[in-house]
Amino acid sequence: MNLDGYDMVLIGIGEEFEEAPDALEAYNKLSKDLEGKNYFIVSLCMDDVIYKSNLNQDRIVTPLGGRRKKQCPDACENALYDLDVEKCPICGKELIYNNILAENYIEQGYLPMWEKHKLWLTGTLNKSLYIMELGVSMRLPQVVRWPFERVAMLNNKAFFLRVNGKLPQINAELKEKGKGIGENSVKWLIEN
Ligand SMILES: [Zn+2]
């Protein structure tokens, strides 16, 4: 990919990466492509593979959570625990992973990074911004698809790229400054 002329890069990552055996290779390729760039990644994946890659962990937010922390199913005191803790010290229930599948999902697991992401986004106004949406389905469009489109519309210097094996279409409003590629995003990333 060619990011020449763009200092800031906003990346959204979706389900295609959770289904791919070569996701780690793709993340590391992305990390190389992003060398010297000011970037932020919002990922819907819950498999935590991205945290094993060379990408900067301080530049990644995973709002759906994953398996890096545990919580009580009753969300006692909104507390998060390391993986070696088995039972809730407050009510004694077996702890579960801190992700959106939890009945009472404790959002504190990702909110500090989300705040950082929001602050980063305000700094993109009037900057040349490359927005890349990779393999994101319509499952939770309010997390990546819709807000990313909005950021693209509001920024006159933005370019919007959507790579998706099934849903590569882009809105008419973004036709002037956007492009959709109908390929699997993991494969595309490795090859381009
Ligand atoms: Zn508890």
Side-chain angles (χ1 to χ4, degrees):
M1 75 186 70
N2 187 357
L3 300 173
D4 287 352
Y6 293 91
D7 296 328
M8 304 186 89
V9 188
L10 173 65
I11 300 135
I13 290 182
E15 289 84 347
E16 281 184 350
F17 279 73
E18 271 184 329
E19 294 152 8
D22 42 3
L24 187 60
E25 185 188 351
Y27 288 135
N28 285 333
K29 164 71 168 35
L30 181 62
S31 159
K32 246 197 195 120
D33 293 339
L34 290 170
E35 251 168 46
K37 301 289 179 190
N38 181 353
Y39 66 88
F40 217 104
I41 301 173
V42 182
S43 172
L44 294 170
C45 296
M46 287 168 34
D47 58 10
D48 299 330
V49 174
I50 195 167
Y51 294 108
K52 298 185 184 111
S53 75
N54 298 329
L55 288 159
N56 185 344
Q57 309 225 349
D58 286 329
R59 301 275 172 164
I60 302 168
V61 61
T62 42
L64 308 192
R67 292 169 169 240
R68 296 185 303 149
K69 287 276 177 193
K70 283 183 173 177
Q71 65 160 87
C72 173
D74 291 343
C76 290
E77 294 187 354
N78 271 326
L80 297 175
Y81 301 94
D82 288 332
L83 297 184
D84 55 352
V85 184
E86 281 172 18
K87 295 208 155 84
C88 174
I90 296 142
C91 72
K93 279 196 181 164
E94 193 90 26
L95 295 179
I96 54 175
Y97 290 117
N98 174 230
N99 61 45
I100 202 170
L101 301 176
E103 206 175 317
N104 299 290
Y105 178 38
I106 297 176
E107 299 194 73
Q108 196 49 33
Y110 77 87
L111 283 179
M113 284 311 286
W114 189 255
E115 288 305 314
K116 201 172 165 183
H117 160 65
K118 272 188 359 199
L119 200 64
W120 184 89
L121 264 187
T122 60
T124 65
L125 279 175
N126 303 316
K127 300 267 170 52
S128 41
L129 174 68
Y130 197 107
I131 304 166
M132 214 185 292
E133 190 208 87
L134 305 171
V136 181
S137 78
M138 281 304 282
R139 191 164 62 100
L140 290 163
Q142 69 274 26
V143 183
V144 172
R145 279 184 84 107
W146 295 341
F148 274 39
E149 286 172 358
R150 214 157 36 232
V151 172
M153 309 254 239
L154 292 173
N155 183 328
N156 291 329
K157 297 181 194 163
F159 180 77
F160 182 89
L161 178 72
R162 169 170 286 152
V163 186
N164 198 305
K166 291 186 195 116
L167 301 158
Q169 297 80 5
I170 55 171
N171 299 348
E173 296 101 309
L174 286 173
K175 281 264 148 65
E176 298 278 297
K177 52 177 167 183
K179 189 171 143 188
I181 298 177
E183 279 180 48
N184 177 278
S185 57
V186 178
K187 202 165 167 273
W188 177 85
L189 196 55
I190 292 169
E191 291 171 1
N192 284 274

